[in-house]
Amino acid sequence: MSTPIRVGLVDDQALFRAGIRMLVSSQPDLEFVGEAGNGVEGIAMAAEHRPDVILMDIRMPVMDGIESTRAILAAAEARGGKAPRIVVLTTFDLDEAATRAIRGGASGFLLKDADPEFLLSAIRTVHSGTAVIAAAATRELFEHFDSQQGAGTEPEAFTHLTSREREIFLLAARGLSNAEIAGNEFLSEATVKTHISRVLGKLGLRDRVQLVVYAYENRLTD
């Protein structure tokens, strides 16, 4: 049997934490390893329990989820260990704070009233690192908050992509899965996965969420 995915939670609402703890603990492939009531406590929890995935509320007392996310990822980088995947939790569909959290290194975001099955699926998805959580919503955020910006200058790193890599980059930035890209480009999923890995490497990006951020920050989807 494979090792369970270790899950941590940072949220200032005790009742919400209790519900998530019970939900996660009910799954045989997930293990609830720790919780915290604010961002500072979240940093300590992450250091002590080393969860694979952290569900992180954005708005909390003492330290918000954005700063806590940055600190947790910086600490993981400093010690040379594997960084947790962090999914920020928000109450609002269009939440600029969620955008900032993703730019700060979070691997996606969820609405706090998401269906339990969707939340569980999201934990597994982000742990696998193979897909963007709520990709359409992420794109909507960037379109909403960056709509006043003019066209950006194409980054130098982007010019190093081949024409095929650019095509796949743009499809991934639109939120298409590997299977959907493979169908569009008449390629195998394995070939698409290889291209995505090369694109991430050339652009210095960690995952597909950062790819979406990169695309919209640099206005490459216009």
Side-chain angles (χ1 to χ4, degrees):
M1 184 177 178
S2 60
T3 303
I5 300 170
R6 296 168 57 81
V7 180
L9 171 65
V10 186
D11 191 282
D12 64 334
Q13 298 179 2
L15 189 59
F16 181 79
R17 293 200 307 271
I20 296 298
R21 181 171 63 246
M22 288 188 290
L23 177 65
V24 170
S25 298
S26 72
Q27 303 298 301
D29 62 330
L30 305 178
E31 179 185 1
F32 191 88
V33 297
E35 63 184 80
N38 61 59
V40 172
E41 293 176 358
I43 296 169
M45 181 275 292
E48 179 180 357
H49 298 291
R50 305 287 175 89
D52 300 311
V53 176
I54 298 175
L55 302 175
M56 175 76 71
D57 190 19
I58 288 184
R59 290 172 174 79
M60 294 180 291
V62 185
M63 177 185 285
D64 66 25
I66 301 170
E67 291 305 316
S68 186
T69 292
R70 289 173 178 155
I72 289 170
L73 295 177
E77 183 178 0
R79 69 171 180 264
K82 181 180 178 181
R85 299 280 183 170
I86 298 179
V87 180
V88 293
L89 304 172
T90 178
T91 309
F92 310 103
D93 277 305
L94 287 174
D95 190 342
E96 189 174 9
T99 309
R100 296 201 307 272
I102 292 170
R103 285 175 173 146
S107 294
F109 77 94
L110 292 174
L111 295 179
K112 295 186 77 170
D113 62 356
D115 291 339
E117 287 303 316
F118 184 79
L119 186 144
L120 293 171
S121 176
I123 291 171
R124 298 179 180 109
T125 298
V126 75
H127 178 257
S128 73
T130 59
V132 174
I133 292 179
T138 301
R139 293 196 308 276
E140 187 178 0
L141 276 169
F142 281 94
E143 289 168 356
H144 180 77
F145 288 107
D146 294 344
S147 60
Q148 302 305 313
Q149 294 183 8
T153 303
E154 191 172 274
E156 182 181 355
F158 192 73
T159 66
H160 298 158
L161 300 185
T162 66
S163 58
R164 172 64 84 181
E165 288 168 348
R166 286 183 178 226
E167 292 171 0
I168 290 177
F169 170 92
L170 293 173
L171 292 172
R174 285 168 45 198
L176 273 67
S177 68
N178 286 354
E180 290 169 332
I181 295 173
N184 275 2
E185 299 296 302
F186 303 102
L187 300 169
S188 70
E189 287 189 50
T191 299
V192 172
K193 187 175 181 180
T194 297
H195 280 306
I196 291 288
S197 295
R198 287 175 179 167
V199 168
L200 294 177
K202 287 183 178 181
L203 300 180
L205 306 175
R206 186 186 66 242
D207 54 31
R208 291 173 68 128
V209 173
Q210 289 198 344
L211 184 150
V212 173
V213 173
Y214 184 94
Y216 281 88
E217 281 186 324
N218 291 289
R219 313 298 290 175
L220 297 173
T221 60
D222 295 337

